[in-house]
């Protein structure tokens, strides 16, 4: 329940909720995959908790490619549905 004076959120329809869940899962998978691939974890002799410039660039490229592939797959699936 919302605090007094705060507007309440309307209930989401099932399609919208499924889309939000899909987006959440997509971003979580993308983050986990790109971070594992690019960030050097437990660097020997370094207590640095920040990512390096190289790691940042790698994560940026990885996320860009990941989203390009997701978009291409979505387009292919959309074309396939149109053919049926």
């Amino acid at each position: 329940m919302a605090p007094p004076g705060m507007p309440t959120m309307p209930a989401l329809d099932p399609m919208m909720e499924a889309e939000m869940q899909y987006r959440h899962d997509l971003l979580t998978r993308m983050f986990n995959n790109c971070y594992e691939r690019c960030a050097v974890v437990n660097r020997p002799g370094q207590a640095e908790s920040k990512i390096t410039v190289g790691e940042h660039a790698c994560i940026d490229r990885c996320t860009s490619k990941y989203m390009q592939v997701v978009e291409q797959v979505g387009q292919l699936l959309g074309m396939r549905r149109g053919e049926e």
Side-chain angles (χ1 to χ4, degrees), residues 6-78:
M6 293 291 290
T8 57
M9 293 284 295
L12 297 176
D13 70 44
M15 282 291 267
M16 194 177 224
E17 185 134 359
E19 178 68 19
M20 288 179 64
Q21 184 63 46
Y22 164 75
R23 298 281 179 180
H24 176 268
D25 294 345
L26 171 73
L27 292 173
T28 300
R29 282 192 313 272
M30 179 180 67
F31 173 78
N32 290 337
N33 288 334
C34 291
Y35 189 81
E36 278 183 27
R37 180 173 301 204
C38 298
V40 179
V41 182
N42 298 324
R43 288 177 233 143
Q46 293 185 2
E48 185 67 38
S49 63
K50 296 180 182 178
I51 63 172
T52 66
V53 172
E55 291 168 334
H56 185 273
C58 178
I59 292 170
D60 188 46
R61 284 189 308 272
C62 179
T63 56
S64 177
K65 288 177 184 178
Y66 199 98
M67 292 308 292
Q68 285 176 351
V69 169
V70 167
E71 184 179 336
Q72 289 172 350
V73 168
Q75 288 173 352
L76 290 171
L77 289 174

